[in-house]
Amino acid sequence: MGIHKAKEITFTGRVFGASEALALGMVNAVVPTDQLDVATREIVDAIAAGPPLALSSSKRELDNAGQTSLAQALEAEALAQSVNAQTDDMREALMAYAERRQLTSPVSRHR
């Protein structure tokens, strides 16, 4: 949402609804209460189906993004790509792409 909007909301204590929170980017989705468990499960399943090493390095880089220079971020990304390129998950992704099929479950999770 940006630092200026965050400061405005913090300093004024203005109350707003779910649709405005969504528009501001404060939340990823707005769902009815009775659909919350299903919506949450869909997101959890999508993340869990991803390649664990790649997700871990992406999380680390995003967590550090505010404290690193562009050069440091690019160096971290280059290292992450070189590590991830050697995984069974990457080989499976390339094979699935070449064969025009869906990915199987991440391979590295089953070791």
Side-chain angles (χ1 to χ4, degrees):
M1 95 169 57
I3 189 68
H4 298 294
K5 183 55 81 173
K7 285 180 179 179
E8 174 193 331
I9 290 168
T10 300
F11 299 158
T12 65
R14 183 170 60 85
V15 177
F16 48 88
S19 61
E20 187 175 356
L22 181 63
L24 289 170
M26 296 180 73
V27 296
N28 293 337
V30 176
V31 297
T33 304
D34 64 338
Q35 296 175 18
L36 182 59
D37 288 342
V38 171
T40 302
R41 176 54 49 199
E42 289 173 356
I43 293 169
V44 168
D45 289 347
I47 293 170
L53 292 175
L55 291 173
S56 175
S57 60
S58 294
K59 181 181 183 299
R60 184 174 41 258
E61 289 179 46
L62 289 168
D63 287 345
N64 293 330
Q67 295 86 29
T68 59
S69 68
L70 177 59
Q72 291 169 321
L74 292 172
E75 184 177 337
E77 177 62 20
L79 176 61
Q81 286 190 24
S82 67
V83 169
N84 285 303
Q86 304 303 315
T87 65
D88 290 339
D89 288 331
M90 177 61 91
R91 283 186 278 286
E92 162 56 20
L94 293 172
M95 290 298 295
Y97 178 80
E99 296 169 2
R100 292 183 165 51
R101 63 173 170 80
Q102 293 291 318
L103 288 169
T104 61
S105 295
V107 178
S108 60
R109 181 173 287 111
H110 303 295
R111 289 184 175 210

